[in-house]
Amino acid sequence: MSQAVRHPKILDIARREGGVSVERLSEHFGVTLQTIRRDLAELAEAGQLERVHGGAVLPSGTVNIAYEERRRLHAGGKAAIARACAAQIPDGASVFLAIGTTAEAVAAALVHHRGLLVVTNNVNAARILGPRDGEVVVTGGTMRAADGGLVGDLARTAVEGFRFDVAVVGCSALDPSGDVLDFDGREAGVSRAAVARSRRAFLAADASKFARTAPVRVLSLEGLHAFVTDAPPPAALRARCEGWGTRVEVCPPGGS
């Protein structure tokens, strides 16, 4: 496959999934890692992608399209996951909500809760919750125009100043080993800090993440209170969670 054919296909994948990894693209197109690195370098030079460790993400000029697409994808599953997470968060709790469309769905499911303290690096989630009975704290940090996410040292330091009853984090991919993966190391650092400062931590991720990969390890499902998803995970991953004591809650779209 020629470079002229690969480039638009790479951009299509990036818009659909929010980013791409060198290894995954190499396997997808049947070309060498070096060939993909050259492709990504040229797309970055043209301003169509932004390089990150192990891959690339969409730059601020085009990310909004991808984020809107991600918001629509698996919307029913995300809503079911969000309802399940919200049902486990009592009124008056202190809560961290991470970046991502699933976290936005959780925010929407929390709008009728009372007396919450919600800390978030997700500007969209903060807007959903808005002025209400409770308090919303936005971390600060470097804003990604891609998705309204706040990342970097300022965001991480703000999170470290709290102790949360519950943290809800997401991911870009979930490795069969149980590793939670993402494309942005700056975002990963904030999520790790939030989990470390939480009494209970949930991974909220739809089943599409089982088939994806991303270059940055955020943390392991080991030690998390629960993994909330919309379809049964692979048997080996579920067995690992059971061995670790991480509860797997499957909430199919349309389920009660």
Side-chain angles (χ1 to χ4, degrees):
M1 181 183 294
S2 70
Q3 184 184 72
V5 175
R6 280 197 311 275
H7 281 193
K9 290 183 179 294
I10 290 171
L11 291 173
D12 284 343
I13 294 170
R15 291 189 183 102
R16 186 169 62 249
E17 300 190 2
V20 292
S21 75
V22 172
E23 183 176 343
R24 180 76 177 273
L25 291 177
S26 173
E27 293 174 358
H28 180 78
F29 292 112
V31 298
T32 65
L33 298 175
Q34 187 57 37
T35 295
I36 294 298
R37 290 189 184 101
R38 284 196 298 268
D39 287 342
L40 297 184
E42 291 178 12
L43 288 167
E45 187 175 349
Q48 295 178 290
L49 287 177
E50 202 171 280
R51 289 301 308 272
V52 296
H53 178 71
V57 295
L58 291 167
S60 58
T62 58
V63 168
N64 285 339
I65 297 172
Y67 199 69
E68 289 302 321
E69 290 175 0
R70 296 202 328 260
R71 190 179 269 135
R72 289 191 293 270
L73 286 171
H74 314 291
K78 291 172 183 176
I81 291 167
R83 288 192 297 270
C85 290
Q88 299 174 69
I89 297 173
D91 288 347
S94 55
V95 182
F96 174 79
L97 293 180
I99 298 171
T101 56
T102 306
E104 287 182 32
V106 175
L110 288 172
V111 294
H112 297 300
H113 278 53
R114 299 179 63 83
L116 295 179
L117 168 63
V118 177
V119 179
T120 184
N121 60 334
N122 185 332
V123 171
N124 298 310
R127 287 174 178 150
I128 289 168
L129 289 166
R132 52 190 302 283
D133 177 15
E135 186 175 358
V136 178
V137 176
V138 180
T139 63
T142 301
M143 180 182 284
R144 296 191 315 210
D147 54 11
L150 297 165
V151 297
D153 290 343
L154 284 174
R156 178 179 51 76
T157 300
V159 165
E160 289 171 346
F162 291 88
R163 182 71 172 170
F164 304 107
D165 295 313
V166 179
V168 180
V169 298
C171 66
S172 296
L174 188 56
D175 191 78
S177 68
D179 280 346
V180 176
L181 306 174
D182 217 311
F183 288 99
D184 189 339
R186 301 169 302 168
E187 176 182 352
V190 179
S191 292
R192 279 194 295 269
V195 168
R197 300 295 299 164
S198 299
R199 297 178 178 88
R200 294 186 296 153
F202 302 156
L203 175 70
D206 67 77
S208 70
K209 308 302 169 62
F210 304 152
R212 294 180 181 172
T213 189
V216 179
R217 182 183 185 275
V218 183
L219 44 77
S220 171
L221 281 170
E222 183 177 8
L224 295 188
H225 181 78
F227 168 34
V228 187
T229 187
D230 60 337
L237 178 59
R238 186 158 198 159
R240 285 190 172 93
C241 288
E242 289 174 355
W244 293 328
T246 301
R247 180 169 53 82
V248 177
E249 184 169 351
V250 179
C251 313
S256 59

